[in-house]
Amino acid sequence: MPPPSCLPPTGVDSHAHIFRNDLPLASHRRYSPNYNATVEQYIGHLDHCGISHGVLVQPSFLGTDNHYLVSALRQYPSRLRGTVVVDRDITEGELDKLYDDGVVGVRLNLVGQTLEDYRTTPWQTFFRRLARRQWSVEIQRGMQDLPRILPSILASGVTIVLDHFGLPDSEIDPDNTHHRALLSLLNSEDIWVKLSATYRSQASLTQARTSIHQLCEAYGHSNRLVWGSDWPHTRFEDKTTYRAQFSLMQCLLPNADDQHRVMVENPGKLFHIGRTRDGR
C-alpha cells in the first residue's frame, strides 16, 4: 500500500477555509465569523461529492496563526494540503516544519491593502525561499491591480496562483485595459488561476463561462486552471452551498476531459498531490 500522502486523487478542491469562532482573530480584519467551520464538516462535504483531496487556505482574519489549519493537515495527511499566511521574515526552520506538515503555499490577501514594491530585496528573497520549496504564492487582489505586481513577483521564479478568477468585475473582458494586461501575462507557465467564488465578482453563469473562455484563449489550454469551492463562503453563506458550488463547476466545465484536468491533473501537479511530502 502506498504512503497515505500519495494516494491517487479522484478530485481536488483547491480552496476552502476552516476556523472556529473562539480562535484569536487578527487585529486588522474585514470580517469576524460567528460560527464554526471545522475540518470534520469539510471532509464531510468532500466525501458527499466524491472528492478525495482538499487544499485549506488560511483565512485572513486569523492572521499568521496557522495552528488550527496545520492541526487539520496533521489529522488528515492523506487528503489535505495547506496554504498559509506567514511573516516575510519567517525562519528557514519554521518553513521546513510547515513543509513537513503538508503546506504547499503562502497566501497574500491584498484586498484593501496598500500594495508594496515587490521588487525589493526582502520580498525577492522571501519569494525565492518559497520557490526553492516548490511552493506557490496565492494572491487575492482585484484584477485591475494584478498587472502592476505580478511581473515583479514572477521575477523571483516563484509560482503564482490567482484567487477567484483574478477577481474581475463580473467577467473577464479583453476590451478592458486591465483585464487585457492580465491576460497578456498568462503566457508565463508560472501563473495559475482558481475557478472559484463567482459570487465575489457577482458573475452570472454566462459571465463565468466567458471568463473561462478568455483564460483558456490566453493560455492556449486549460492546464493551469484549478477549481475551488471557497467553502464556507464567508460573507456569502446564505447565498450558496458546497453542493451548489460543486454543481456549478460541472456546469461551467461540461466536458469530461476539462473537468479531469481542472479537478485532478492540474491541482495534483500544482499542490504536490499524489506524491509523498519529501518530493518522491
Side-chain angles (χ1 to χ4, degrees), residues 20-33:
R20 293 197 318 263
N21 62 6
D22 61 347
L23 293 171
L25 300 178
S27 56
H28 301 289
R29 60 184 184 276
R30 296 177 295 115
Y31 173 84
S32 301

Side-chain angles (χ1 to χ4, degrees), residues 179-248:
H179 296 190
R180 187 167 62 251
L182 184 279
L183 291 171
S184 71
L185 294 173
L186 298 186
N187 58 359
S188 168
E189 295 184 359
D190 294 323
I191 300 179
W192 299 64
V193 179
K194 287 185 181 180
L195 306 182
S196 56
T198 55
Y199 42 82
R200 299 195 187 276
S201 297
Q202 300 182 328
S204 67
L205 177 62
T206 299
Q207 290 170 325
R209 282 175 172 160
T210 297
S211 293
I212 293 174
H213 174 74
Q214 293 299 333
L215 291 168
C216 289
E217 284 284 301
Y219 278 129
H221 51 67
S222 59
N223 295 346
R224 289 194 293 279
L225 301 177
V226 296
W227 172 77
S229 68
D230 194 37
W231 185 82
H233 327 293
T234 53
R235 296 186 295 150
F236 293 86
E237 294 91 343
D238 61 339
K239 304 294 185 183
T240 190
T241 64
Y242 194 100
R243 169 56 75 173
Q245 290 304 301
F246 181 66
S247 297
L248 176 62

Side-chain angles (χ1 to χ4, degrees), residues 11-103:
V12 182
D13 175 0
S14 298
H15 194 105
H17 308 288
I18 59 169
F19 50 82
R20 293 197 318 263
N21 62 6
D22 61 347
L23 293 171
L25 300 178
S27 56
H28 301 289
R29 60 184 184 276
R30 296 177 295 115
Y31 173 84
S32 301
N34 60 2
Y35 62 97
N36 298 330
T38 67
V39 68
E40 290 80 12
Q41 291 172 296
Y42 178 58
I43 291 294
H45 288 303
L46 295 182
D47 289 344
H48 186 67
C49 293
I51 300 173
S52 58
H53 292 74
V55 181
L56 299 177
V57 177
Q58 173 79 341
S60 58
F61 51 79
L62 292 182
T64 59
D65 185 350
N66 299 287
H67 288 95
Y68 191 65
L69 183 151
V70 169
S71 68
L73 302 185
R74 293 172 180 166
Q75 187 176 352
Y76 294 95
S78 67
R79 302 191 67 177
L80 300 179
R81 295 290 185 267
T83 296
V84 295
V85 176
V86 300
D87 293 322
R88 192 177 61 188
D89 60 354
I90 185 172
T91 68
E92 291 293 308
E94 290 170 316
L95 286 176
D96 289 341
K97 185 64 174 69
L98 289 170
Y99 178 92
D100 291 340
D101 286 327
V103 169

Side-chain angles (χ1 to χ4, degrees), residues 141-167:
R141 181 77 179 196
M143 186 168 286
Q144 68 276 9
D145 294 320
L146 291 174
R148 295 167 49 194
I149 62 175
L150 295 190
S152 299
I153 299 174
L154 285 171
S156 68
V158 77
T159 297
I160 292 174
V161 183
L162 303 181
D163 277 352
H164 312 323
F165 286 81
L167 286 181

Side-chain angles (χ1 to χ4, degrees), residues 240-266:
T240 190
T241 64
Y242 194 100
R243 169 56 75 173
Q245 290 304 301
F246 181 66
S247 297
L248 176 62
M249 180 275 300
Q250 294 173 307
C251 290
L252 292 174
L253 300 168
N255 180 279
D257 290 338
D258 286 337
Q259 281 190 30
H260 192 265
R261 274 191 293 273
V262 172
M263 285 286 293
V264 179
E265 294 177 13
N266 300 350

